[in-house]
Structures are given as C-alpha cells and as structure tokens.
Amino acid sequence: MDDALYTPFEAPYRMSMGLMALRADEWLEADGPWREELAEKRRLLADPPEEMVFTLPGADAGAREALHAMATHLAGQHGERYHLAGGALELPEFEERWDLDDPALEAIDVAGRIAREDVCLMEHDGTAWRLTAASVCFPTRWRLAEKKGQALDAIHAPVPGFEDKLARPVTRFFDHMKVARPVWRLNWSLVDDPALYLPKRHRKRPPDPDLSAENAGSRIWLRVERQTLTRFAVSDAILFTIAIHRWPLARLARLPDAAAKLAEAARTMPEATKSYKAMPNIQAAVLGYLDGLGGEEAG
Ligand code: HEM
C-alpha cells in the first residue's frame, strides 16, 4: 500500500481552513492503492453496512455535472486507467463501462464508484449550503445518514471549535467560490485500525490493553484525508471530494521534524478536540513512540 506521504501537522495544534489552490490537472488521484480502494468500494456497495449513497430530489443535475467533469478529468489525466468513448467511461481493470447519460444510473453513485475519492455534493437552497447527494464508503468515524440534507454548520456540529472559528469563513468561502479556482486541504487523524471504512461506532471502542510505545509504530495508523472543493458552472453546485491516505506511524521514523510536530500537536490539542479525535485511548502510546524517535535522532 504505497502512497504519497502527507504530514499536515500544525504545532502548536491549530484548527484551520488550510485551503490551498488546486492545479486543475491534480484534482483526482488514480495512483497508490487505487485498485485496492475501488475494489473495496465495490465490496461495500454490494452489501452496504449502512447508508453509503443518496441523492435528494432535485440534486441529479448537479451530480451529473460533477460526474461528467470527473470522467473527463480521469480520462484526460489518467489515460492508463480510464477511457472515454462514445459518452461512456471505461475502467478496463474492472471490466466496467459506465454510460454517463444513462438516466437509469444514479450519477453520484457512479461518481463514487469510478474514483478513489468519496464525493459529497453541496448546493445552496437560498438559505445555506446543504449536502444534497453523496457517495461515502470510507468515512472517518461519522455516519452519512446523519448528514443527509444538512447545512455546513450542522454537518460540523460535533467538531469542537468549528462553530466559533470556522463556520463563518467556510460559509463565506463557499459563497464566493469561483468555478475556475478549485482548492484542496488536508485533515489528519490517528487511528488503531487501517480499515478504509471506519464507522462512527469506532469512536467508542475500548482501549487496546496491548497497545504500547513499543508497538505503536505498527499498530497506530496516520490517516490523512486529501479533500478538494470544485464549483460547477451550470448547476452552481460544489463538489467536496475526500481521498484517504494511510500509513503506519512507523513511516514517520525517518522524518524527525514531522514526528516532533505531530507529538507537539497531540500535546497542545484542546481536551475537547482530543476527545473528538479519539486520542485519549492511544495518546500515551503514541507520544511514547514519537518521543522515542526524537531520542534516537538526538543520539
Ligand atoms: C472549507 C471547507 C471545510 C473545512 C475547512 C472543514 C473542516 C473540518 C474540520 C476541521 C473537521 C474536523 C476534522 C478532525 O479534526 O478530525 C471536519 C469534519 C468533518 N467535515 Fe468538514 N470542512 C469543510 C468542508 C466540508 C464539507 C463540504 C463537508 C460535506 C460533507 C464536510 C464534512 C465533514 C464531516 C462529515 C466531518 C466529520 C464530522 C463528524 O465527526 O460528525 N466538511 N471538517
């Protein structure tokens, strides 16, 4: 599972928008564990453990515009994996052919299946930006059904500090977002399970009595979400994409600066954030491991 390594830690800890301009040719990823992730989506969607896909009434046009844009991008940038032919997107490795204009297909479902990314469509209803369609197979401990039709603020209600610090700038950013100016950001978590699908109930898992500073390097995983936002010209919808990147914590062994920053971020995080990010069960082992790395470097 070799994948680009991201280490987006701010030390001391700070929750920020962290939006960066996205080059149009770097929108969607089709490398690293692409094949494994698309296969896992197909496995989950064949017998979904919870609701993973929905389209609210009226959201099909936006979802279809997003699907067309994604298919054009994937075929243009990743021609080794995707072909566009006669209005259909082909994925030879999965022996699939998706007719993009087939009205019998749910556009957001197809959008989620063709990409490594999970996809969330946001549309303004005159009052707020709401989640109107989505395909999410790889949530990081949240439940899509609870976010269906919700506005940005309500979606983020469980996130400590979001309402005070981010709700206004995020909404302002959405209101003024330009079609030709996509953006991206990174969000990190530490988890004790490398599974792609992490349901909300994982927050309540009991501590692992065998976890220690000695084995945290292989038992704890750094899970980074690479998120993008793109606005579409015709429907005026905004697509939020989430790609999951995972590495055992031991990948930081050769990156002492990143390891030290992560340790400081974990130490300086407000208590409410620690608890939201399910840190208490793993914090001692993680810090013991990271501090041990620093010691080796110094020695
Ligand atoms: C500029 C845009 C956005 C920013 C700055 C932002 C920021 C954040 C932050 C800081 C968190 C907490 C993550 C953590 O520390 O582990 C979060 C969680 C989350 N965000 Fe966003 N977000 C943005 C857009 C969106 C959009 C468009 C959606 C649409 C679905 C979304 C869905 C979520 C969900 C579902 C969670 C988890 C909430 C939970 O635990 O119930 N975000 N976001």
Side-chain angles (χ1 to χ4, degrees):
M1 175 186 342
D2 201 19
D3 209 358
L5 180 62
Y6 294 115
T7 56
F9 319 120
E10 287 203 66
Y13 179 81
R14 196 167 70 92
M15 192 178 65
S16 60
M17 291 237 285
L19 297 178
M20 301 168 275
L22 175 67
R23 279 178 43 171
D25 59 347
E26 294 182 350
W27 182 22
L28 304 171
E29 301 178 304
D31 47 9
W34 177 90
R35 186 199 292 267
E36 173 201 341
E37 294 189 0
L38 266 67
E40 177 67 354
K41 283 188 173 193
R42 278 148 187 72
R43 191 187 70 78
L44 287 162
L45 292 168
D47 183 15
E50 62 177 285
E51 189 175 20
M52 294 186 146
V53 180
F54 73 84
T55 305
L56 292 184
D60 186 60
R64 211 157 283 269
E65 188 175 11
L67 171 61
H68 273 270
M70 289 172 67
T72 305
H73 172 86
L74 289 168
Q77 299 301 324
H78 305 287
E80 71 290 0
R81 296 210 133 126
Y82 300 90
H83 307 150
L84 253 185
L89 185 73
E90 297 169 353
L91 283 71
E93 286 171 71
F94 287 89
E95 296 181 359
E96 286 177 359
R97 184 174 187 280
W98 298 99
D99 177 354
L100 301 177
D101 289 317
D102 180 351
L105 294 178
E106 186 178 355
I108 203 74
D109 177 42
V110 178
R113 286 170 189 268
I114 61 173
R116 224 187 124 165
E117 287 78 6
D118 280 339
V119 286
C120 296
L121 193 77
M122 304 295 295
E123 292 182 274
H124 203 275
D125 68 353
T127 317
W129 288 94
R130 291 184 187 282
L131 181 60
T132 58
S135 166
V136 176
C137 289
F138 307 149
T140 303
R141 302 182 292 211
W142 56 278
R143 187 174 298 140
L144 181 64
E146 291 175 359
K147 313 294 186 187
K148 194 193 262 194
Q150 296 293 325
L152 271 172
D153 295 15
I155 290 171
H156 291 99
V159 181
F162 189 92
E163 194 181 350
D164 286 351
K165 297 200 182 72
L166 291 186
R168 245 184 303 162
V170 169
T171 299
R172 199 176 317 127
F173 176 81
F174 270 64
D175 288 345
H176 298 289
M177 192 175 180
K178 301 269 185 298
V179 170
R181 296 266 159 77
V183 295
W184 68 297
R185 68 185 296 275
L186 295 166
N187 192 74
W188 64 269
S189 307
L190 292 173
V191 296
D192 60 2
D193 186 342
L196 287 160
Y197 167 61
L198 284 189
K200 186 177 173 184
R201 65 171 182 278
H202 268 227
R203 289 185 181 286
K204 299 238 165 73
R205 289 219 299 190
D208 172 358
D210 296 330
L211 180 65
S212 66
E214 287 67 42
N215 63 27
S218 58
R219 294 214 185 173
I220 298 297
W221 294 72
L222 171 61
R223 180 174 170 114
V224 173
E225 297 182 350
R226 177 188 182 271
Q227 306 174 338
T228 75
L229 288 164
T230 305
R231 189 165 194 160
F232 299 112
V234 180
S235 61
D236 210 27
I238 291 177
L239 189 74
F240 180 61
T241 70
I242 311 160
I244 302 294
H245 293 252
R246 302 157 293 162
W247 313 269
L249 199 55
R251 270 295 295 271
L252 296 184
R254 290 177 183 282
L255 299 170
D257 290 351
K261 262 186 148 179
L262 174 57
E264 195 190 340
R267 283 200 167 85
T268 52
M269 204 177 264
E271 287 306 315
T273 305
K274 264 184 207 161
S275 144
Y276 170 72
K277 282 170 117 36
M279 294 290 284
N281 285 349
I282 61 169
Q283 171 113 348
V286 165
L287 289 179
Y289 177 77
L290 294 174
D291 292 349
L293 294 178
E296 275 165 33
E297 282 301 317

